[in-house]
Amino acid sequence: MTTKRINLSFSIDREDDLKVYRILSEQKYKTDYVINAVLSYIGERDKGFDKEKIKEAVKEAIEKCGGISIENKGKENNSCVQHELPDNIFDMFDNL
Amino acid sequence: MRNRILLGLDNGNKCTKTSEGYISEAGFIKSNNEPISTSNLLIYEGKFYSIGNSRLSVQMDKTVNQDAFILSLPAIADAINKAGVEGEVDAILGVGLPIVSYGTLKKKFREYFLRRDIEFNFNKKDYKINIIDCRVYPQGYSSLITVFNSYRNLLCNVIDIGGYTIDFFRVENGIIDVSACYSLPNGIITLIVNIQQELLKTNIRLTEIQIQEIVAGKEPVLFEADIMEVIKVMSEEYVENILAKIEEYGFEFRNPSIFTGGGSMMLQKFIEKCSRVKYVDFLDQFANARGYKILLEQELRRCYQ
């Protein structure tokens, strides 16, 4: 049987952290409590999951960004740079 | 319509990299006869080149011989395969030079690549290409282009730790401060050689790649703690020294510092630990090549508008 352990840390200065820390501290069976809490959270979250709505939202965001450049597909940070470099950058190269 | 590819190509002293993710050690073994191994074998003008073997010695001016061109052919072949085009291909390259030699060498470097009717065979596949255009951009700055929007309104330091040189300069509001561009000949190769020399004193011979992996934190199990310690201490000292040197040139590390180049990737954990630097950002070893391609695309669009 394989057992994996995860350490959690809470910053007691933050209200939410403190609240969760207190709840977990009071639990006798902490692992069971966390398993149930996480699974029920995911279950609730996925109930309202509408793939098509998300697809539409992503499409709109991509269009606003100027579309996807196929040649740079999969490369981070590139697509939003397209169309935006000012002219003085290219003037600078001539003067270097 | 003819096939055409656009490619960002970074001819580093240590590695050749492209915007399409190709990487190979910048070296080859040349022979007149076909070698036993056909892996990464380039055949060009009747000669055989085993690409990726035995890194070549450092060259500041890469136009003095065919080496950089030879090393570029497999990179172009890789881009052709990734683009999925067949037959004769027109290639447009975006390449780079260190800022300090950019002004004097950019024209020569561009002309070095402009060639037509290039025929070669790589990994048993024939290619016919024409390099119809080539644009040259400053190294390091091209890396920054990939994250341009994050730093366009700031003053930042760009530090490119390459194989042979460390190039550093200031960028203010997206434009290079030409009065603050420097290059030091203490790239990562000097650290590796110094580590090799230190270990040789105790009769330990490690290859460049083994040392590289240990510095980068991929610790192989077969080495004892002493070796690790020597490498760790020397890497810490190296980072401390280069950052102190950069400060001497008037660079303020309270401004964001953007580290790029293969050397920066290798030394990331040591740079992050160093108390001299405040805000650091690391761009991967392909960032220059990706930046060349972004600049190339935009420049071509401007030309043909």
Side-chain angles (χ1 to χ4, degrees):
Chain A
M1 195 177 78
T2 312
T3 306
K4 304 253 186 201
R5 302 184 73 88
I6 291 176
N7 286 323
L8 304 173
S9 65
F10 299 91
S11 170
I12 52 165
D13 301 334
R14 286 197 296 249
E15 203 183 322
D16 283 353
D17 285 32
L18 183 62
K19 208 169 163 183
V20 175
Y21 174 74
R22 282 188 178 144
I23 293 169
L24 285 177
S25 303
E26 285 163 12
Q27 302 308 314
K28 195 175 174 190
Y29 302 104
K30 291 185 175 56
T31 306
D32 273 354
Y33 187 84
V34 170
I35 289 168
N36 290 330
V38 171
L39 290 179
S40 48
Y41 167 74
I42 288 173
E44 281 301 311
R45 194 189 57 181
D46 290 354
K47 268 184 200 165
F49 184 80
D50 184 340
K51 238 183 183 176
E52 288 312 309
K53 268 188 190 166
I54 291 172
K55 271 189 192 170
E56 281 309 307
V58 171
K59 266 188 208 164
E60 273 176 33
I62 289 171
E63 275 161 21
K64 272 189 188 167
C65 227
I68 295 175
S69 161
I70 299 296
E71 284 173 340
N72 285 325
K73 201 168 76 175
K75 310 292 192 300
E76 66 202 66
N77 296 322
N78 284 0
S79 55
C80 289
V81 172
Q82 310 279 322
H83 316 291
E84 288 179 28
L85 295 177
D87 286 339
N88 56 353
I89 284 184
F90 293 92
D91 299 337
M92 172 183 72
F93 295 151
D94 294 332
N95 299 326
L96 279 176
Chain B
M1 198 178 134
R2 290 173 75 114
N3 293 313
R4 199 177 83 162
I5 60 156
L6 265 63
L7 181 66
L9 175 63
D10 184 1
N11 299 92
N13 283 309
K14 187 144 191 3
C15 292
T16 306
K17 292 139 289 190
T18 72
S19 50
E20 317 307 293
Y22 168 90
I23 184 163
S24 170
E25 194 84 359
F28 54 73
I29 294 170
K30 184 180 175 182
S31 62
N32 290 323
N33 303 307
E34 189 167 347
I36 300 163
S37 168
T38 54
S39 163
N40 289 332
L41 183 67
L42 170 77
I43 308 167
Y44 177 60
E45 292 182 335
K47 300 272 191 285
F48 297 87
Y49 300 88
S50 297
I51 302 291
N53 288 322
S54 69
R55 182 176 56 74
L56 301 170
S57 47
V58 170
Q59 283 169 353
M60 293 311 285
D61 179 357
K62 294 191 168 65
T63 64
V64 294
N65 58 32
Q66 288 271 74
D67 294 355
F69 184 75
I70 300 284
L71 289 166
S72 302
L73 293 178
I76 296 171
D78 173 80
I80 291 172
N81 293 338
K82 283 178 179 158
V85 291
E86 296 285 337
E88 192 170 342
V89 177
D90 288 344
I92 302 179
L93 303 181
V95 297
L97 286 170
I99 286 187
V100 283
S101 55
Y102 181 76
T104 50
L105 290 176
K106 64 182 170 189
K107 191 167 173 281
K108 207 173 162 194
F109 204 42
R110 175 174 187 264
E111 284 162 3
Y112 174 77
F113 283 105
L114 293 178
R115 308 176 193 205
R116 286 180 178 267
D117 300 319
I118 307 155
E119 290 183 41
F120 65 96
N121 179 294
F122 182 64
N123 280 342
K124 297 180 180 169
K125 189 175 169 188
D126 290 320
Y127 297 88
K128 185 171 183 190
I129 60 164
N130 305 292
I131 302 176
I132 59 168
D133 201 355
C134 175
R135 306 287 167 123
V136 187
Y137 303 107
Q139 274 174 21
Y141 181 74
S142 301
S143 251
L144 185 70
I145 286 295
T146 63
V147 288
F148 186 75
N149 287 339
S150 306
Y151 299 101
R152 66 188 307 164
N153 301 317
L154 296 172
L155 192 153
C156 59
N157 311 314
V158 178
I159 300 161
D160 182 353
I161 307 178
Y164 185 62
T165 57
I166 300 169
D167 302 309
F168 51 101
F169 51 91
R170 258 196 301 269
V171 174
E172 193 165 5
N173 299 323
I175 299 294
I176 298 169
D177 176 357
V178 285
S179 65
C181 299
Y182 303 95
S183 186
L184 300 172
N186 315 45
I188 198 76
I189 292 168
T190 59
L191 169 66
I192 292 170
V193 169
N194 288 342
I195 291 173
Q196 278 177 324
Q197 290 302 308
E198 191 60 31
L199 293 175
L200 265 181
K201 289 178 190 167
T202 47
N203 209 20
I204 298 165
R205 292 153 209 267
L206 295 192
T207 65
E208 267 188 25
I209 291 168
Q210 285 175 311
I211 293 174
Q212 247 170 265
E213 289 191 342
I214 299 173
V215 173
K218 293 175 224 158
E219 297 171 11
V221 285
L222 55 145
F223 296 118
E224 57 245 52
D226 290 357
I227 299 177
M228 303 292 202
E229 191 56 24
V230 168
I231 294 175
K232 181 177 163 270
V233 168
M234 289 186 75
S235 302
E236 278 168 357
E237 276 174 11
Y238 173 81
V239 166
E240 189 64 31
N241 287 341
I242 59 171
L243 295 181
K245 197 86 188 158
I246 292 169
E247 266 186 332
E248 276 177 26
Y249 281 83
F251 283 69
E252 173 55 75
F253 284 126
R254 285 181 187 84
N255 294 318
S257 297
I258 292 90
F259 284 85
T260 177
S264 300
M265 298 290 294
M266 255 177 77
L267 293 163
Q268 183 168 347
K269 65 175 180 174
F270 296 102
I271 295 168
E272 281 170 343
K273 264 192 217 160
C274 184
S275 57
R276 283 180 191 274
V277 285
K278 309 298 173 210
Y279 173 93
V280 286
D281 194 354
F282 290 87
L283 304 179
D284 71 39
Q285 57 190 337
F286 296 100
N288 267 319
R290 290 206 309 271
Y292 299 152
K293 187 170 175 184
I294 293 170
L295 290 163
L296 181 66
E297 285 172 332
Q298 298 218 9
E299 198 173 6
L300 292 178
R301 227 175 1 243
R302 275 155 214 261
C303 290
Y304 297 117
Q305 255 173 11

